[in-house]
Amino acid sequence: MGFNDIFNTDFLNQFPTQTLSQILITMGLAFILGISIAVIYKRTHTGVLYSADFGITLIAMCLITAMLIMCVVSNVVLSLGMVGALSIVRFRTAIKEPMDIVFLFWSLAGGIILAAGGYILAFVGSLLISLVLLCLRDRTYVHTPYLLILKVQDSQSAADLSKQIKDKTKKSRLKSRTAHKNEIELIYEVRIAPEEDLNIVSDLEKSDGIKEASLISYNGEFLG
């Protein structure tokens, strides 16, 4: 293809027919929506480390998807060729947090809907999703899950403490028991009221046969 062919009218007609204003509006709204999704992701993130790069990825994905769909809806031939080209792409990055998949799909869906002209649907739907995620993130529980780590002298002390833990907690479950030469380490998954977290440690430390007691906030799978 020569340089002059690039400016040939028939060649240009193969590409998307949106006006410049439509393209700018769609990409601008995709950028705003992407930022909104990234902000909600940061606000609701519960993992160990927050990744700023993932937030940027959400913005870029919304923009790229919008651009891609604008091309697809404008030209059937290009859309078929693009499907074939994208089918050879393989993404091997592991998603460590389940909620990350939700935000990736949200960003992807937002870009698709905006490019299809569903501006109101994209933003109203995103608003409702944001409210749901924020409500679930800020929920409070009467009894909070913790990991209780105990170091005791012998098996008899471990049995006595097990009875105390059942009496002092709403729910409890032994997660791990490790025996050493001079002590036994017990890890319990317990659920207690937030205002009682210090009291239970103090009470257990006064028990006979216990060497050490630690209480750790637990954000894993909740007790059923």
Side-chain angles (χ1 to χ4, degrees), residues 17-106:
T17 58
Q18 288 95 346
T19 63
L20 180 60
S21 60
Q22 289 176 325
I23 295 174
L24 293 177
I25 290 173
T26 301
M27 296 299 288
L29 292 176
F31 179 69
I32 295 173
L33 182 60
I35 291 178
S36 302
I37 296 173
V39 170
I40 297 299
Y41 171 75
K42 183 177 181 180
R43 176 68 179 80
T44 59
H45 184 261
T46 57
V48 179
L49 294 175
Y50 166 74
S51 174
D53 289 341
F54 188 79
I56 297 174
T57 299
L58 294 174
I59 300 173
M61 178 171 288
C62 195
L63 287 167
I64 295 171
T65 304
M67 179 179 64
L68 183 64
I69 297 302
M70 280 192 292
C71 177
V72 169
V73 299
S74 300
N75 192 301
V76 177
V77 177
L78 284 177
S79 65
L80 294 175
M82 195 169 296
V83 169
L86 293 177
S87 64
I88 65 174
V89 179
R90 295 291 182 269
F91 299 96
R92 301 185 181 276
T93 302
I95 304 297
K96 298 180 180 179
E97 298 290 338
M99 282 302 296
D100 289 354
I101 301 176
V102 174
F103 283 93
L104 286 171
F105 188 73
W106 182 8

Side-chain angles (χ1 to χ4, degrees), residues 166-213:
K166 290 181 179 180
D167 295 336
K168 295 179 181 296
T169 61
K170 177 68 176 177
K171 290 184 179 180
S172 64
R173 181 168 61 192
L174 181 63
K175 301 285 288 185
S176 173
R177 178 188 176 105
T178 305
H180 302 284
K181 286 186 177 181
N182 300 321
E183 66 181 18
I184 298 175
E185 183 181 78
L186 304 171
I187 299 179
Y188 282 89
E189 182 182 6
V190 298
R191 180 173 285 184
I192 59 177
E195 62 273 10
E196 297 177 357
D197 53 359
L198 294 178
N199 295 333
I200 187 174
V201 174
S202 300
D203 293 341
L204 290 174
E205 285 180 341
K206 297 175 183 177
S207 303
D208 296 333
I210 189 168
K211 294 183 176 181
E212 184 179 335

